[in-house]
């Protein structure tokens, strides 16, 4: 018999093979391809090519792995169409670097089943109400949103929902952003369920990945906690997906195969016909729109643990409380912080900038230190004693021959967390401080630092956005936002939404044990309306307003955006090709084509970058017509096109 086999490569269609074996859709097989043997899956449709006279090769062997569900295959087909990625590349996401594993001895999976002593946790009345609402229509596809401020106990509600599904014999998937930092979360899971979840992210060792992959395919492992890529595991009997922190923009995969894991989780649930729960303190604008339209059901938790209230907000006007030169913390702020420290409150200085200084230049020749590969300044990291490009990783030493004479004499303009840390130490020399950023916290020693922060042995933290991600610090009752940066508002259609999420998440870190807490915003901007807007205790007010702006201006979620990023080494050739490409696609595509314009980061990793934007209806037809047209256009070698459906970052 003839069978269609999809291979994990750049082809958008399966290849036809011959076989004497009894094969069905979803079976994993080994086939010859070119000079080598490859792993493939029996797909649900044949190659669309007219029957030419070509030699049909034979399937070599069927692998001993439970077949891939038809629904999962349908999902991957749709995924490839929606994100404009070849089907073979979609299949590749499901495999282990082009490979699969046959079953391990059964005892290999036992570590995920060992009963661990669990704690009895009683839900509050409000939590029980949410759980009941969440569990409606649990036997089919539906989307439920659980909204609740940080510290209101959302996790326990969805753990209960998951327990029910597991007890019915199904598997469950919990998607989390920032998976590297889930130590606290895993312990919570074990305490509740009494067994170990399988944890899946890019940093997991190869052998463990193999065990988890086959445990999922064979239904020997029941629950996965994972980052984006866990969405593509070959679940045998998936019964529920949970997307925690659904608003988090790190669900968007921005490199390689570009997709949004939250949105793809919803469509996988739809193809598998199973329920999905989205969990958040402040829903993303897309989710909020779907709640308003009645497409998603909603439950809300209002009470915080121990009845803690959300922090108060205070604005420190830097026009009145002037900063001294080379200083970024005002006298008034210092007084406020002293007041909190005396009450044994922990204090956080927040600045979303790693390193010491984002702009280094020479006093004599005025030349800045910029990246030779990217059109961006290098950031000075004093602790590492070098300059770093945060985009391509380029490193340089702080020593340079001057255009005038001798060596350059540098000045540093603007602060990063390291510089704020120096100023904090000067003002509070007797206090323990630490920097909380990806430079300091992604190391082995970080769990020890976390422990010391939780025990209030470290009184002052200086942190980047990393700290807004789900940490629970009981003594943190004072947050100083060093420089509230609302400047991105102009270029980024999501700027306002991003700020709302950031400051909401950030203030959720404070006041979690019932003591009064305050967030101080240092700013020169006298128009404080923006700050009041994003810190309003009822985020729905802001979301309603934002949704109205989007509607009026025909922006997502009311229209579909598709970004086309064209890159090349030769600036003038790139520009010419981009215009040619625009003219070529304009008449064929269902939607308006804007651009080309130079990308905000015009040069990145030695390549120039130009962007086009397609604005169209929310229909797969837009992607389909675009995919067809792109296929017909030939870029010269050295020029590359990247397609980003529903872009979040516009840099
Ligand atoms: Zn660079
Ligand atoms: Zn110089």
């Amino acid at each position: 018999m003839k069978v269609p086999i999809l291979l994990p490569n750049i082809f958008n269609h399966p290849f036809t093979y011959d076989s004497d074996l009894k094969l069905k859709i979803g079976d994993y097989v080994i086939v010859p391809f070119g000079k080598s043997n490859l792993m493939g899956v029996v797909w649900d449709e044949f190659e669309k090519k007219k029957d030419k006279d070509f030699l049909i090769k034979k399937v070599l062997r069927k692998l001993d792995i439970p077949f891939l569900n038809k629904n999962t295959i349908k999902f991957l087909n749709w995924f490839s169409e929606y994100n404009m990625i070849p089907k073979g590349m979609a299949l590749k996401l499901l495999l282990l670097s082009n490979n699969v594993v046959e079953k391990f001895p059964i005892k290999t999976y036992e570590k995920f089943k060992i009963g661990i002593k669990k704690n009895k946790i009683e839900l509050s009345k409000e939590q029980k109400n949410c759980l009941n609402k969440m569990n409606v229509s649990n036997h089919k596809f539906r989307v439920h949103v659980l909204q609740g401020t940080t510290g209101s106990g959302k996790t326990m509600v969805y753990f209960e929902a998951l327990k029910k599904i597991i007890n019915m014999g199904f598997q469950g998937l919990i998607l989390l952003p920032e998976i590297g930092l889930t130590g606290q979360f895993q312990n919570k899971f074990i305490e509740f369920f009494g067994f170990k979840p399988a944890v899946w992210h890019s940093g997991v060792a190869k052998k463990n990945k193999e065990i988890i992959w086959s445990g999922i395919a064979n239904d020997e492992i029941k629950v996965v906690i994972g980052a984006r890529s866990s969405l593509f595991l070959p679940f045998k009997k998936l019964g529920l997906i949970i997307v925690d922190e659904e608003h988090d923009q790190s669900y968007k995969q921005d490199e390689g195969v570009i997709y949004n894991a939250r949105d793809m989780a919803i469509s996988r649930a739809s193809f598998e016909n199973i329920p999905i729960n989205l969990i958040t303190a402040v829903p993303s604008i897309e989710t909020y729109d779907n709640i308003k339209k009645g497409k998603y059901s909603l439950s809300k938790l209002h009470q915080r643990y121990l009845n803690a209230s959300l922090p108060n907000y205070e604005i420190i006007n830097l026009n009145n409380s002037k900063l001294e030169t080379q200083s970024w913390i005002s006298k008034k702020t210092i007084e406020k912080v002293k007041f909190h420290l005396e009450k044994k409150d922990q204090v956080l200085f927040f600045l979303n900038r790693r390193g010491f200084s984002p702009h280094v230049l020479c006093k004599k020749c005025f030349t800045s230190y910029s990246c030779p590969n990217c059109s961006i300044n290098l950031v000075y990291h004093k602790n590492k004693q070098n300059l770093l490009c945060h985009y391509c990783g380029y490193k340089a030493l702080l020593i340079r021959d001057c255009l005038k004479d001798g060596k350059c004499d540098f000045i540093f303009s603007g602060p990063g967390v390291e510089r704020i840390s120096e100023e904090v130490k000067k003002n509070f020399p007797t206090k323990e401080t630490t920097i909380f950023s990806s430079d300091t916290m992604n190391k082995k020693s970080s769990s020890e630092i976390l422990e010391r922060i939780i025990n209030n042995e470290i009184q002052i933290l200086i942190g980047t956005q990393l700290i807004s991600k789900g940490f629970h610090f009981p003594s943190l009752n004072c947050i100083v936002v060093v420089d509230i940066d609302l400047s991105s508002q102009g270029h980024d259609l999501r700027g306002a939404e991003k700020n709302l999420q950031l400051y909401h998440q950030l203030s959720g870190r404070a006041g979690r044990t019932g003591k009064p807490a305050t967030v101080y915003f240092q700013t020169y901007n006298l128009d404080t309306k923006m700050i009041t807007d994003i810190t309003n205790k009822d985020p729905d007010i802001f979301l309603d307003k934002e949704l109205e702006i989007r509607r009026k201006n025909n922006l997502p979620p009311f229209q579909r955006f598709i970004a086309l990023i064209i890159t090349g080494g030769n600036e003038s050739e790139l520009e010419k090709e981009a215009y040619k490409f625009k003219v070529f696609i304009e008449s064929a595509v269902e939607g308006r084509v804007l651009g080309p314009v130079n990308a905000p980061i015009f040069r990145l990793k030695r390549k120039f970058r130009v962007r086009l934007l397609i604005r169209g209806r929310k229909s797969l037809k837009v992607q389909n017509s675009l995919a067809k047209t792109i296929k017909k256009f030939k870029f010269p070698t050295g020029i590359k096109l990247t397609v980003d459906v529903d872009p979040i970052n516009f840099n």
Side-chain angles (χ1 to χ4, degrees), residues 179 227 240 341 362 378 567 589:
I179 194 74
L240 177 66
L341 287 171
C362 170
L378 293 178
T567 56
V589 166

Side-chain angles (χ1 to χ4, degrees), residues 393-411:
Y394 174 85
K395 277 181 204 158
L397 289 173
L398 191 67
I399 181 157
R400 189 172 63 183
D401 290 328
C402 192
L403 297 176
K404 293 273 176 183
D405 66 299
K407 295 280 172 203
C408 278
D409 192 359
F410 295 108
I411 44 170

Side-chain angles (χ1 to χ4, degrees), residues 333-509:
T333 309
I334 304 267
E335 274 164 39
K336 299 277 183 191
V337 169
K338 271 189 185 147
F339 165 77
H340 281 278
L341 287 171
E342 271 161 27
K343 291 195 302 173
K344 300 263 182 292
D345 286 345
Q346 199 168 47
V347 176
L348 161 70
F349 285 87
F350 173 79
L351 179 73
N352 203 16
R353 210 175 291 139
R354 292 161 48 206
F356 183 82
S357 167
H359 190 190
V360 182
L361 78 168
C362 170
K363 268 191 248 191
K364 296 185 288 186
C365 68
F366 303 112
T367 318
S368 301
Y369 240 121
S370 56
C371 180
N373 309 325
C374 313
S375 47
I376 204 104
N377 283 331
L378 293 178
V379 177
Y380 179 51
H381 285 246
K382 202 170 184 177
N383 291 347
K384 291 179 187 152
Q385 294 221 354
N386 61 19
L387 294 131
L388 256 183
C389 173
H390 287 179
Y391 288 85
C392 74
Y394 174 85
K395 277 181 204 158
L397 289 173
L398 191 67
I399 181 157
R400 189 172 63 183
D401 290 328
C402 192
L403 297 176
K404 293 273 176 183
D405 66 299
K407 295 280 172 203
C408 278
D409 192 359
F410 295 108
I411 44 170
F412 305 97
S413 104
V417 279
E418 290 179 5
R419 201 169 202 181
I420 297 300
S421 169
E422 282 190 1
E423 193 174 347
V424 165
K425 278 183 188 150
K426 227 183 279 163
N427 281 290
F428 305 98
T430 59
K431 301 293 175 191
E432 281 290 313
T433 67
T434 193
I435 292 173
F436 200 102
S437 75
S438 54
D439 296 309
T440 58
M441 293 310 288
N442 285 349
K443 292 180 190 151
K444 284 237 163 68
S445 58
S446 60
S447 59
E448 193 190 308
I449 302 177
L450 268 178
E451 198 64 28
R452 293 188 62 214
I453 299 173
I454 290 165
N455 297 332
N456 205 8
E457 287 163 37
I458 295 172
Q459 290 93 29
I460 306 177
L461 313 173
I462 302 97
T464 62
Q465 186 164 3
L466 185 69
I467 207 162
S468 67
K469 310 261 180 191
F471 294 99
H472 176 48
F473 299 142
S475 305
L476 182 61
N477 290 314
C478 168
I479 297 178
V480 176
V481 176
V482 174
D483 172 17
I484 179 155
D485 178 22
L486 303 172
S487 55
S488 66
Q489 231 73 259
H491 333 273
D492 187 345
L493 81 98
R494 290 178 185 273
E497 186 192 357
K498 284 176 186 168
N499 275 321
L500 172 76
Q501 292 293 357
L502 172 62
Y503 291 108
H504 207 90
Q505 288 296 320
L506 186 65
S507 53
R509 298 305 115 217

